[in-house]
């Protein structure tokens, strides 16, 4: 029997240009079912989206609540689910892997920076990039603990932290791939940087789709292997719900 992690990992490979793996980001069981029914082959939970759905700021969800929320999502669908595990919640590699698998996740994002005191993740937000060699060691520990049971998506936060040179992202990404990452994710990479990233990075490349930015197909043509949305789909849903609420109030 093929494992869900094997299925998710295989979806990252052999993709034609313009046909990236598109992973919508569910924030609860209901949204996960909608995405599955729409035909998506796998899902990627966004930490910010789940935080909003639980009434927290991004980065402020207690780990127990986050894993419980992801567990409700994985139980609601039959497709593979990968979890945004942020910086790993201070857990050891084995503890993190055990918690991910208990929640039913077959993949995870791991960030290579932490927000500065009193800040929140986002473009230009103050924060600290981890030493890339230390992060590579951390990823290697997670890979060793997980074996082939998790698809590891190593987030590269250079663009988030105001480092615009794509070569700096490439340097980190190469270390993370060598440490065992299945995919790398230079979050907030601008479209013009994607060909540089693609040329410099071996293996699957995750790109964040932005509102009013290139479509997933266009991102794939630029070099993206995998496209995710962060909390973007929840925010679009909230905007639509506000319109419905206004319409009902006026009726």
């Amino acid at each position: 029997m093929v494992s869900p992690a094997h299925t998710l990992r295989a979806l990252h490979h052999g993709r034609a240009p313009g046909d990236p793996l598109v992973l919508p980001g569910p924030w609860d069981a209901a949204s996960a079912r909608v995405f599955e029914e729409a035909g998506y082959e796998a899902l990627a939970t966004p930490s910010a989206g789940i935080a909003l759905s639980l009434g927290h700021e991004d980065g402020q969800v207690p780990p127990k609540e986050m894993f419980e929320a992801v567990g409700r999502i994985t139980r609601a669908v039959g497709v593979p689910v990968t979890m945004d595990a942020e910086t790993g919640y201070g857990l050891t590699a084995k503890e993190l892997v055990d918690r991910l698998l208990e929640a039913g996740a077959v993949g995870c994002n791991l960030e290579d920076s932490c927000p500065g005191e009193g800040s929140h993740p986002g473009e230009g937000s103050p924060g600290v990039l981890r030493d890339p060699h230390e992060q590579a060691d951390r990823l290697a520990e997670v890979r060793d603990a997980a074996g082939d049971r998790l698809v590891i998506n190593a987030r590269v936060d250079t663009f988030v932290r105001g480092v615009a040179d794509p070569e700096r992202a490439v340097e980190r990404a190469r270390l993370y791939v060598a440490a065992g990452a299945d995919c790398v994710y230079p979050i907030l990479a601008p479209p013009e940087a994607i060909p540089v990233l693609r040329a410099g990075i071996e293996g699957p490349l995750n790109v964040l789709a932005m509102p009013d930015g290139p479509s997933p197909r266009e991102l794939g043509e630029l070099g993206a292997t995998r496209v995710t949305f962060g909390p973007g789909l929840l925010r679009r849903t909230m905007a639509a719900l506000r319109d419905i609420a206004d319409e009902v109030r006026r009726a």
Side-chain angles (χ1 to χ4, degrees), residues 114-170:
C114 299
E117 185 176 352
S119 69
H120 302 291
E123 185 172 8
S125 65
V128 179
L129 282 166
R130 292 195 69 186
D131 178 276
H133 296 279
E134 291 180 1
Q135 180 70 0
D137 289 344
R138 167 71 164 168
L139 292 168
E141 290 173 356
V142 175
R143 170 54 68 214
D144 184 62
D148 63 359
R149 296 176 295 170
L150 289 176
V151 175
I152 299 173
N153 189 34
R155 207 177 93 170
V156 179
D157 284 5
T158 51
F159 295 103
V160 173
R161 303 306 173 196
V163 182
D165 182 357
E167 293 296 343
R168 303 290 77 77
V170 168

Side-chain angles (χ1 to χ4, degrees), residues 33-233:
R33 289 194 182 105
V34 168
F35 294 136
E36 181 183 36
E37 290 166 1
Y40 289 97
E41 298 174 283
L43 307 174
T45 68
S47 63
I50 290 179
L52 285 169
S53 75
L54 296 176
H56 294 286
E57 296 290 337
D58 187 20
Q60 302 301 312
V61 181
K64 182 175 184 291
E65 287 189 46
M66 182 64 78
F67 284 109
E68 287 174 347
V70 172
R72 288 191 290 272
I73 288 170
T74 64
R75 290 192 297 272
V77 296
V79 296
V81 177
T82 179
M83 172 183 173
D84 183 352
E86 303 179 83
T87 59
Y89 307 111
L91 301 170
T92 67
K94 184 181 185 307
E95 288 169 341
L96 177 61
V97 169
D98 288 346
R99 295 288 294 275
L100 287 162
L101 295 175
E102 287 169 6
V106 298
C108 66
N109 285 6
L110 286 172
E111 304 169 10
D112 70 349
S113 73
C114 299
E117 185 176 352
S119 69
H120 302 291
E123 185 172 8
S125 65
V128 179
L129 282 166
R130 292 195 69 186
D131 178 276
H133 296 279
E134 291 180 1
Q135 180 70 0
D137 289 344
R138 167 71 164 168
L139 292 168
E141 290 173 356
V142 175
R143 170 54 68 214
D144 184 62
D148 63 359
R149 296 176 295 170
L150 289 176
V151 175
I152 299 173
N153 189 34
R155 207 177 93 170
V156 179
D157 284 5
T158 51
F159 295 103
V160 173
R161 303 306 173 196
V163 182
D165 182 357
E167 293 296 343
R168 303 290 77 77
V170 168
E171 291 169 0
R172 287 174 170 264
R174 286 175 173 168
L175 289 172
Y176 303 162
V177 171
D182 296 283
C183 184
V184 292
Y185 179 19
I187 188 170
L188 292 185
E192 61 271 18
I194 297 173
V196 178
L197 297 168
R198 175 70 286 161
I201 298 171
E202 183 179 354
L205 175 65
N206 189 157
V207 173
L208 179 68
M210 299 294 290
D212 303 320
S215 68
R217 178 175 295 277
E218 290 167 334
L219 292 173
E221 290 169 348
L222 288 170
T225 310
R226 159 173 159 166
V227 175
T228 52
F229 301 86
L233 299 180

